[in-house]
Amino acid sequence: KYSVGTVYILGGSRALTGAPLMAAEAAMRAGAGAVVLGVPGSVHPVIARRAVEVMIDPLPETAHGTVSREASSAVMERAAWADAVAVGPGLARDEETAAVVRALLASDRPLVIDADALGMLRGAEGLLRRRNGRTLLTPHAGEFCRMTGVDARELERDRVATLRTWADRLRCAILLKGSPTLVAEPG
């Protein structure tokens, strides 16, 4: 069970329960030996009804049903346990949740950053560049533009060159969703 990879996923919010569940199920289907899904406490019953192979950690939450700053120590403990961490599906945008995401950025854990967590990266270039752990960002064009400040027309003029530039600048691998989907790594 634990010999073929462990994955921790931080996601979900009161209004967004499907995305973290799909991410956890995808990790299991891809062959992870153990998957733990960290979600706000109020989301736990909804997810638990559908998740049969995934362990679920109910976390402290804000009044709006997002992961609260109080969850930081539990999140960091689970992240230390995992071989890889995915953050973002259904997370929702909240300043307290963003503080938890920034704590993960400061760790050396391999990270896959998706969805709402990407929106929390605007202005966090320094944290990304200083990371010791491998990092994969998975934005669609709109998320990429919000995250980087690049104009959508500029991105579409030369997606390959723009993606290469930002992969080098952020020192991260970037999977830019779209047609075609592109992947760039630093260098």
Side-chain angles (χ1 to χ4, degrees):
K1 183 173 190 173
Y2 296 101
S3 64
V4 292
T6 54
V7 176
Y8 179 63
I9 300 170
L10 177 64
S13 60
R14 197 173 296 145
L16 302 166
T17 60
L21 182 59
M22 288 190 301
E25 289 172 347
M28 292 299 296
R29 282 192 208 112
V35 177
V36 174
L37 176 57
V39 297
S42 65
V43 173
H44 178 268
V46 174
I47 301 268
R49 275 180 270 202
R50 296 207 30 223
V52 294
E53 295 180 290
V54 175
M55 295 173 270
I56 305 162
D57 272 349
L59 298 169
E61 65 184 79
T62 67
H64 304 301
T66 63
V67 174
S68 81
R69 187 177 277 115
E70 294 170 18
S72 290
S73 61
V75 167
M76 296 309 292
E77 186 177 314
R78 277 297 187 179
W81 161 87
D83 294 314
V85 177
V87 58
L91 202 57
R93 295 180 193 163
D94 183 277
E95 187 50 42
E96 284 198 46
T97 308
V100 178
V101 171
R102 285 190 292 274
L104 282 169
L105 286 173
S107 77
D108 64 355
R109 306 311 308 150
L111 289 178
V112 176
I113 304 173
D114 187 41
D116 288 327
L118 291 165
M120 298 171 187
L121 297 180
R122 182 88 189 249
E125 286 181 31
L127 282 173
L128 286 169
R129 282 195 298 267
R130 288 189 298 273
R131 280 191 44 75
N132 290 324
R134 293 188 50 92
T135 309
L136 172 62
L137 309 177
T138 61
H140 57 60
E143 291 167 333
F144 181 86
C145 292
R146 281 190 297 278
M147 177 182 74
T148 62
V150 169
D151 181 75
R153 290 180 300 270
E154 178 186 338
L155 173 63
E156 291 309 318
R157 234 183 333 269
D158 193 343
R159 290 166 51 97
V160 172
T162 303
L163 193 60
R164 282 181 174 158
T165 297
W166 279 92
D168 285 340
R169 183 174 179 173
L170 298 175
R171 294 185 54 216
C172 298
I174 305 173
L175 182 149
L176 180 61
K177 300 170 193 168
S179 182
T181 292
L182 302 173
V183 180
E185 285 189 303

